[in-house]
Amino acid sequence: MPIIGRKSHTKDGQKIYIRIGESPPAIKDGKVQEGAFFIILGDDMGEKSIRLTDQEAIDLANRIITIYQLHVRMYRKLDKKTYEEYKQSHTANNEKIEHEIVKFLLKSGGQCTIEDIRESLSVKHADYLTHLEKEGVVKIKGNNVFLNFGERENENDINDKST
């Protein structure tokens, strides 16, 4: 019997395996004998065999393929959903961090040091300062952080300055 596939696992020191084999159709004594597929389950204690007709084998294979395709679609949806949830929580968390930094700077008179933010709030808050500087919320000069009270420049302001 040719073996189509074999898979084995070791669980609690015991080997467990599944083997799928086939017995192809043949002609014996001038008559066609049906082929069959076999699923053999075994472990260290012995094995059991299940015989499948061609139709049963193809039905089982089609069911596995169909379920596999559903799994793949589900994984894609879960991946998108997980990413969206992460993005929403990450955005909300960043807004909270930004709010806490601005509130801290306002209480400090609009300026403080990076160490003050790191010690009073957290390292994550101090790391977020570079993002806030890119957004135009704060200015960082050396170790000092200043709240940017002026409006953020936009493209129209830049174009007006260049003319």
Side-chain angles (χ1 to χ4, degrees):
M1 169 176 51
I3 296 172
I4 297 170
R6 178 187 324 212
K7 192 70 181 167
S8 64
H9 292 278
T10 303
K11 183 177 180 181
D12 300 328
Q14 186 177 14
K15 189 175 182 178
I16 301 167
Y17 62 89
I18 183 172
R19 198 170 59 232
I20 300 171
E22 69 149 336
S23 176
I27 297 178
K28 209 176 219 185
D29 300 327
K31 293 183 181 178
V32 176
Q33 289 188 328
E34 274 189 25
F37 292 88
F38 295 90
I39 298 175
I40 296 106
L41 301 170
D43 61 13
D44 296 336
M45 308 282 275
E47 62 183 37
K48 297 287 183 185
S49 177
I50 300 170
R51 182 181 187 278
L52 301 172
T53 65
D54 290 351
Q55 189 57 44
E56 290 170 330
I58 196 73
D59 181 53
L60 186 60
N62 282 331
R63 287 177 190 219
I64 290 171
I65 289 169
T66 301
I67 295 302
Y68 173 76
Q69 290 169 342
L70 290 173
H71 276 270
V72 170
R73 281 191 212 120
M74 187 60 67
Y75 289 139
R76 286 185 196 140
K77 287 179 184 176
L78 287 174
D79 190 39
K80 286 179 185 177
K81 183 179 178 186
T82 304
Y83 176 71
E84 288 301 320
E85 287 174 358
Y86 165 77
K87 202 163 90 176
Q88 287 174 353
S89 68
H90 190 68
T91 302
N93 191 34
N94 287 349
E95 289 173 358
K96 180 181 175 193
I97 290 172
E98 181 176 345
H99 177 73
E100 290 171 349
I101 291 171
V102 170
K103 187 176 175 182
F104 182 80
L105 282 167
L106 286 171
K107 284 184 180 179
S108 302
Q111 69 180 27
C112 66
T113 64
I114 295 172
E115 282 79 25
D116 291 339
I117 291 175
R118 186 176 291 121
E119 290 171 9
S120 300
L121 298 174
S122 74
V123 173
K124 192 173 187 176
H125 287 76
D127 292 342
Y128 198 72
L129 288 171
T130 54
H131 175 73
L132 290 181
E133 183 177 36
K134 289 177 188 173
E135 293 291 317
V137 176
V138 298
K139 290 182 184 176
I140 300 173
K141 291 184 182 173
N143 193 31
N144 296 317
V145 180
F146 301 92
L147 190 58
N148 190 3
F149 290 108
E151 291 183 25
R152 298 178 191 174
E153 292 184 347
N154 59 32
E155 285 186 30
N156 294 335
D157 293 340
I158 293 168
N159 290 336
D160 290 343
K161 290 178 184 175
S162 63
T163 57

